[in-house]
Amino acid sequence: SRIIGEVDAFYDFLVGRRLAALNPIKPVRADYTAESKGEESNSKASNPSLDAATVRSLATAADSTRDELVVMALCGWGLRTNEVARLRVSQFILEGEDPVIAFDDRKNGPSRVSLLFGREVLEARIEELAARDDWDGWLFPSDRSDSGHVARGTINDWFDGLVDEADVSVDGRKPLPKMGRRFWYDAYSDVLEEIIAEVGEIAAEQGSSDADVVLDDYLSPERKRTMRRDGMRRRLDAAFET
């Protein structure tokens, strides 16, 4: 129910700002009782997000392409731990202006994640692995696994080791990998708020108090997408200090 609550809140924000026509999660959300909502709130409070300084410390502690890619995949791309463990070079579509990571069997079905940041880390890892005669495409290969790649728990262990090396904490507790994913979503939400504020200034210059009018009627979908992507890149660049 925690995940449903987060998605519900995200779509409510988009609908409120006219960045989406409707909230598709509402019918599902309505099935939960007031008690489950209370449990969801407690769960969300107990799993905070990493902040930019913590992400920076983890990235600094990473002294191998493997560990650099772990931090990037979790915090810079917002992937789930099991998705990180199963990353394969064939998933990355790097041609053109908008590189993406393609997932055929993601939790919510096939989807693509924009590769807004961290391409250099990815390419360094690929170059390192490509030098192996027996490399079969997994970015985190394992000789001991029938699948050919490491398990989710291994990613957790590597992340935990980076936390120890960086000597960081979040609200007095050890950071968890899912806090990296939450960092990505928090950063994206902040970018959306910045866009609304910027558009509000444009509206004011035209003597209007309604930023939504400018957003809907005068900014093309391409322009809005560029603003989101550029804002997110700035956030990630500040966190990773590249």
Side-chain angles (χ1 to χ4, degrees), residues 70 74 81 151-161 176-178:
V70 167
L74 292 170
T81 311
R152 173 182 180 180
T154 301
I155 300 296
N156 288 333
D157 290 343
W158 289 344
F159 183 86
D160 192 60
L176 302 172
K178 61 185 174 182

Side-chain angles (χ1 to χ4, degrees), residues 134-149:
D134 60 346
W135 186 48
D136 57 1
W138 299 110
L139 294 185
F140 300 105
S142 172
D143 296 332
R144 296 177 295 178
S145 171
D146 292 338
S147 67
H149 61 78

Side-chain angles (χ1 to χ4, degrees), residues 100-145:
V100 298
I101 313 169
F103 292 89
D104 293 331
D105 56 352
R106 209 173 190 208
K107 187 174 182 180
N108 296 321
S111 65
R112 293 188 171 194
V113 173
S114 294
L115 191 68
L116 300 177
F117 196 79
R119 182 165 176 164
E120 296 81 2
V121 173
L122 170 66
E123 291 176 340
R125 179 63 172 168
I126 292 174
E127 181 179 359
E128 178 184 273
L129 292 171
R132 302 182 183 180
D133 293 334
D134 60 346
W135 186 48
D136 57 1
W138 299 110
L139 294 185
F140 300 105
S142 172
D143 296 332
R144 296 177 295 178
S145 171

Side-chain angles (χ1 to χ4, degrees), residues 149-227:
H149 61 78
V150 301
R152 173 182 180 180
T154 301
I155 300 296
N156 288 333
D157 290 343
W158 289 344
F159 183 86
D160 192 60
L162 287 170
V163 168
D164 289 340
E165 179 67 23
D167 191 24
V168 291
S169 63
V170 176
D171 293 344
R173 56 184 287 195
K174 291 188 72 171
L176 302 172
K178 61 185 174 182
M179 295 179 185
R181 178 172 167 81
R182 185 157 294 170
F183 161 78
W184 192 97
Y185 275 99
D186 281 357
Y188 194 81
S189 178
D190 289 344
V191 168
L192 292 179
E193 292 179 3
E194 289 175 357
I195 291 173
I196 295 300
E198 182 177 345
V199 171
E201 293 178 4
I202 296 173
E205 292 291 336
Q206 289 292 322
S208 173
S209 60
D210 191 352
D212 292 339
V213 172
V214 176
L215 191 64
D216 293 340
D217 297 343
Y218 295 99
L219 294 182
S220 68
E222 293 77 13
R223 175 56 180 159
K224 285 184 280 190
R225 183 169 181 267
T226 297
M227 293 173 72

